[in-house]
Amino acid sequence: MSTPSPAPTARIAAALLGLESLALLALACWEIVALIGSGAGSVASALALIVMTLIGAAGVAAFAWAVVVGRSWGRSGGIVAQFLVIAVAVGAVTGAYAHPLIAVAIGAPGAATLILLLLTERADPAHRR
């Protein structure tokens, strides 16, 4: 039994989730370089952060795959991930070290992916599982 082709909005949302997963992998690499280069105040905390970032990258990649194959848990997980991304963006625009451009760079892709994931659900109700 073959899986029906995903809707265009699902493909775009999955591609954006895939890019987010790659961004998390790049962040993990940057964390590793920072740990090796400058040393960390707490190596255990730095390693835990790297492991959690890699787990996040794997999770977002799994959401991307699930959206492509029409699994509802992929959309659900992707939506939750986008709310977390938007929360980070809001944090980047507030506080002592606020930087609005970083907030936009983080929040805009998160908002776009969130909208696409919501539209994917509405555009393709046959994929509900």
Side-chain angles (χ1 to χ4, degrees):
M1 185 169 151
S2 67
T3 305
S5 178
T9 53
R11 278 188 243 131
I12 296 168
L16 289 174
L17 286 169
L19 289 173
E20 287 178 357
S21 178
L22 291 175
L24 284 170
L25 286 175
L27 178 61
C29 290
W30 178 75
E31 291 168 349
I32 291 168
V33 169
L35 174 63
I36 293 169
S38 64
S42 170
V43 174
S45 292
L47 290 174
L49 181 61
I50 292 166
V51 169
M52 290 177 62
T53 303
L54 291 171
I55 291 169
V60 174
F63 297 151
W65 171 82
V67 167
V68 168
V69 297
R71 302 285 188 235
S72 64
W73 62 267
R75 285 187 302 275
S76 301
I79 288 169
V80 170
Q82 299 324 297
F83 279 122
L84 293 172
V85 167
I86 292 167
V88 169
V90 170
V93 80
T94 59
Y97 301 104
H99 200 294
L101 293 178
I102 290 176
V104 170
I106 294 170
T113 306
L114 175 65
I115 291 167
L116 285 168
L117 287 167
L118 293 172
L119 290 174
T120 297
E121 177 62 21
R122 296 218 182 261
D124 199 9
H127 276 138
R128 290 186 187 162
R129 292 189 175 113

